[in-house]
Amino acid sequence: MPTPRHGSTVIPTLSYRDAPAMIDWLVRAFGFQNQAVYADGDVVLHAQLTWGDGMIMLGSAGKDGDWAKLMARPDESGGRSTHGVCVIVADPDAHYARAKPAGADIVIDIADQHYGGRGYACRDPEGYAWWFGSYDPWNPEAGTP
């Protein structure tokens, strides 16, 4: 398997009804870095937001295209996410303190976890589920409380 020059080899993808607003929110509320946005007016064709060595990709929701036809958003599935995104953070309490007042809907309050680390779960304004925590499965000792 080829090794990437840097970063993750697994990149979650999301589609949003208001992708430009969500890009701004994800940067402000969660601390992602805006690496690239390819847009045609208010339609985001493709965007890349980074977090450390990781990345998410996102775009505007639509039904055109083979990939878009495979995607469903939480508002199309009774509010349930079809997948979640887990992000390793160095200081979950500080991240929580940033995300909550920015409008993140906290669905699992911050707590020490039985498997190690500390974290919390929330939903973004369009309903996707996110987990932010200090447990690092690549280095479990680093996330042990």
PDB file of all heavy atoms in Angstrom, residues 15 31 33-34 72 83 85 88 94 99 103 109-111 124 133 141:
ATOM      1  N   SER A  15     -21.860  15.869   3.652  1.00  0.00           N
ATOM      2  CA  SER A  15     -22.545  16.803   2.754  1.00  0.00           C
ATOM      3  C   SER A  15     -23.494  17.642   3.598  1.00  0.00           C
ATOM      4  O   SER A  15     -24.179  17.130   4.491  1.00  0.00           O
ATOM      5  CB  SER A  15     -23.290  16.057   1.650  1.00  0.00           C
ATOM      6  OG  SER A  15     -24.325  15.261   2.167  1.00  0.00           O
ATOM      7  N   GLY A  31     -12.556  24.335  15.607  1.00  0.00           N
ATOM      8  CA  GLY A  31     -11.134  24.614  15.439  1.00  0.00           C
ATOM      9  C   GLY A  31     -10.486  23.995  14.223  1.00  0.00           C
ATOM     10  O   GLY A  31      -9.253  23.940  14.141  1.00  0.00           O
ATOM     11  N   GLN A  33      -9.047  23.806  10.430  1.00  0.00           N
ATOM     12  CA  GLN A  33      -8.363  24.768   9.568  1.00  0.00           C
ATOM     13  C   GLN A  33      -8.895  24.596   8.148  1.00  0.00           C
ATOM     14  O   GLN A  33      -9.002  23.464   7.653  1.00  0.00           O
ATOM     15  CB  GLN A  33      -6.845  24.522   9.582  1.00  0.00           C
ATOM     16  CG  GLN A  33      -6.219  24.678  10.952  1.00  0.00           C
ATOM     17  CD  GLN A  33      -6.321  26.092  11.465  1.00  0.00           C
ATOM     18  OE1 GLN A  33      -5.958  27.031  10.792  1.00  0.00           O
ATOM     19  NE2 GLN A  33      -6.829  26.239  12.690  1.00  0.00           N
ATOM     20  N   ASN A  34      -9.202  25.692   7.508  1.00  0.00           N
ATOM     21  CA  ASN A  34      -9.712  25.674   6.146  1.00  0.00           C
ATOM     22  C   ASN A  34      -8.534  25.526   5.195  1.00  0.00           C
ATOM     23  O   ASN A  34      -7.748  26.441   5.038  1.00  0.00           O
ATOM     24  CB  ASN A  34     -10.479  26.978   5.891  1.00  0.00           C
ATOM     25  CG  ASN A  34     -11.142  27.004   4.547  1.00  0.00           C
ATOM     26  OD1 ASN A  34     -10.753  26.297   3.636  1.00  0.00           O
ATOM     27  ND2 ASN A  34     -12.151  27.839   4.413  1.00  0.00           N
ATOM     28  N   ALA A  72     -26.848  10.288   2.692  1.00  0.00           N
ATOM     29  CA  ALA A  72     -28.060  10.745   3.375  1.00  0.00           C
ATOM     30  C   ALA A  72     -27.632  11.603   4.545  1.00  0.00           C
ATOM     31  O   ALA A  72     -26.589  11.362   5.154  1.00  0.00           O
ATOM     32  CB  ALA A  72     -28.891   9.564   3.865  1.00  0.00           C
ATOM     33  N   HIS A  83     -23.282   8.121  10.126  1.00  0.00           N
ATOM     34  CA  HIS A  83     -21.904   7.859  10.567  1.00  0.00           C
ATOM     35  C   HIS A  83     -21.497   8.971  11.520  1.00  0.00           C
ATOM     36  O   HIS A  83     -22.193   9.974  11.636  1.00  0.00           O
ATOM     37  CB  HIS A  83     -20.948   7.790   9.378  1.00  0.00           C
ATOM     38  CG  HIS A  83     -20.862   9.064   8.600  1.00  0.00           C
ATOM     39  ND1 HIS A  83     -21.838   9.458   7.703  1.00  0.00           N
ATOM     40  CD2 HIS A  83     -19.951  10.054   8.600  1.00  0.00           C
ATOM     41  CE1 HIS A  83     -21.511  10.620   7.184  1.00  0.00           C
ATOM     42  NE2 HIS A  83     -20.372  11.006   7.711  1.00  0.00           N
ATOM     43  N   VAL A  85     -17.945  11.154  13.345  1.00  0.00           N
ATOM     44  CA  VAL A  85     -16.542  11.513  13.173  1.00  0.00           C
ATOM     45  C   VAL A  85     -15.926  11.626  14.564  1.00  0.00           C
ATOM     46  O   VAL A  85     -16.464  12.298  15.437  1.00  0.00           O
ATOM     47  CB  VAL A  85     -16.394  12.851  12.412  1.00  0.00           C
ATOM     48  CG1 VAL A  85     -14.922  13.190  12.210  1.00  0.00           C
ATOM     49  CG2 VAL A  85     -17.119  12.791  11.070  1.00  0.00           C
ATOM     50  N   ILE A  88      -9.362  13.362  17.772  1.00  0.00           N
ATOM     51  CA  ILE A  88      -8.502  13.331  18.951  1.00  0.00           C
ATOM     52  C   ILE A  88      -8.080  14.766  19.268  1.00  0.00           C
ATOM     53  O   ILE A  88      -7.562  15.472  18.391  1.00  0.00           O
ATOM     54  CB  ILE A  88      -7.263  12.456  18.699  1.00  0.00           C
ATOM     55  CG1 ILE A  88      -7.683  11.025  18.360  1.00  0.00           C
ATOM     56  CG2 ILE A  88      -6.328  12.484  19.909  1.00  0.00           C
ATOM     57  CD1 ILE A  88      -6.558  10.174  17.789  1.00  0.00           C
ATOM     58  N   ALA A  94     -11.125  22.089  27.146  1.00  0.00           N
ATOM     59  CA  ALA A  94     -11.012  23.355  26.427  1.00  0.00           C
ATOM     60  C   ALA A  94     -11.818  23.301  25.127  1.00  0.00           C
ATOM     61  O   ALA A  94     -12.472  24.280  24.752  1.00  0.00           O
ATOM     62  CB  ALA A  94      -9.549  23.676  26.135  1.00  0.00           C
ATOM     63  N   ALA A  99     -16.763  24.681  21.874  1.00  0.00           N
ATOM     64  CA  ALA A  99     -17.840  24.191  21.010  1.00  0.00           C
ATOM     65  C   ALA A  99     -19.229  24.478  21.562  1.00  0.00           C
ATOM     66  O   ALA A  99     -20.142  24.843  20.808  1.00  0.00           O
ATOM     67  CB  ALA A  99     -17.674  22.687  20.775  1.00  0.00           C
ATOM     68  N   GLY A 103     -22.721  26.718  19.786  1.00  0.00           N
ATOM     69  CA  GLY A 103     -23.959  26.102  19.316  1.00  0.00           C
ATOM     70  C   GLY A 103     -23.910  24.608  19.104  1.00  0.00           C
ATOM     71  O   GLY A 103     -24.871  24.019  18.613  1.00  0.00           O
ATOM     72  N   ASP A 109     -22.356  14.283  27.623  1.00  0.00           N
ATOM     73  CA  ASP A 109     -21.559  15.280  28.322  1.00  0.00           C
ATOM     74  C   ASP A 109     -20.124  14.806  28.506  1.00  0.00           C
ATOM     75  O   ASP A 109     -19.834  13.605  28.496  1.00  0.00           O
ATOM     76  CB  ASP A 109     -22.188  15.613  29.673  1.00  0.00           C
ATOM     77  CG  ASP A 109     -21.909  17.042  30.105  1.00  0.00           C
ATOM     78  OD1 ASP A 109     -21.329  17.813  29.314  1.00  0.00           O
ATOM     79  OD2 ASP A 109     -22.259  17.384  31.244  1.00  0.00           O
ATOM     80  N   ILE A 110     -19.233  15.741  28.704  1.00  0.00           N
ATOM     81  CA  ILE A 110     -17.817  15.430  28.852  1.00  0.00           C
ATOM     82  C   ILE A 110     -17.591  14.601  30.122  1.00  0.00           C
ATOM     83  O   ILE A 110     -18.186  14.876  31.165  1.00  0.00           O
ATOM     84  CB  ILE A 110     -16.963  16.709  28.848  1.00  0.00           C
ATOM     85  CG1 ILE A 110     -15.487  16.338  28.711  1.00  0.00           C
ATOM     86  CG2 ILE A 110     -17.267  17.595  30.038  1.00  0.00           C
ATOM     87  CD1 ILE A 110     -14.618  17.456  28.219  1.00  0.00           C
ATOM     88  N   ALA A 111     -16.767  13.579  29.978  1.00  0.00           N
ATOM     89  CA  ALA A 111     -16.494  12.687  31.109  1.00  0.00           C
ATOM     90  C   ALA A 111     -15.250  11.857  30.806  1.00  0.00           C
ATOM     91  O   ALA A 111     -14.867  11.678  29.658  1.00  0.00           O
ATOM     92  CB  ALA A 111     -17.680  11.758  31.355  1.00  0.00           C
ATOM     93  N   ASP A 124     -23.519  18.799  15.194  1.00  0.00           N
ATOM     94  CA  ASP A 124     -23.339  20.111  14.577  1.00  0.00           C
ATOM     95  C   ASP A 124     -24.712  20.657  14.177  1.00  0.00           C
ATOM     96  O   ASP A 124     -25.722  19.959  14.343  1.00  0.00           O
ATOM     97  CB  ASP A 124     -22.346  20.029  13.405  1.00  0.00           C
ATOM     98  CG  ASP A 124     -22.842  19.221  12.213  1.00  0.00           C
ATOM     99  OD1 ASP A 124     -24.061  19.174  11.954  1.00  0.00           O
ATOM    100  OD2 ASP A 124     -21.989  18.662  11.504  1.00  0.00           O
ATOM    101  N   GLY A 133     -12.272  13.730  21.904  1.00  0.00           N
ATOM    102  CA  GLY A 133     -11.717  13.155  23.112  1.00  0.00           C
ATOM    103  C   GLY A 133     -10.216  13.006  23.054  1.00  0.00           C
ATOM    104  O   GLY A 133      -9.600  13.105  21.991  1.00  0.00           O
ATOM    105  N   GLU A 141      -1.785   4.858  25.682  1.00  0.00           N
ATOM    106  CA  GLU A 141      -1.271   5.397  26.937  1.00  0.00           C
ATOM    107  C   GLU A 141      -1.420   6.921  26.986  1.00  0.00           C
ATOM    108  O   GLU A 141      -1.568   7.498  28.051  1.00  0.00           O
ATOM    109  CB  GLU A 141       0.213   5.030  27.122  1.00  0.00           C
ATOM    110  CG  GLU A 141       0.460   3.545  27.281  1.00  0.00           C
ATOM    111  CD  GLU A 141       0.471   2.802  25.942  1.00  0.00           C
ATOM    112  OE1 GLU A 141       0.862   3.376  24.911  1.00  0.00           O
ATOM    113  OE2 GLU A 141       0.047   1.629  25.924  1.00  0.00           O
TER     114      GLU A 141
END
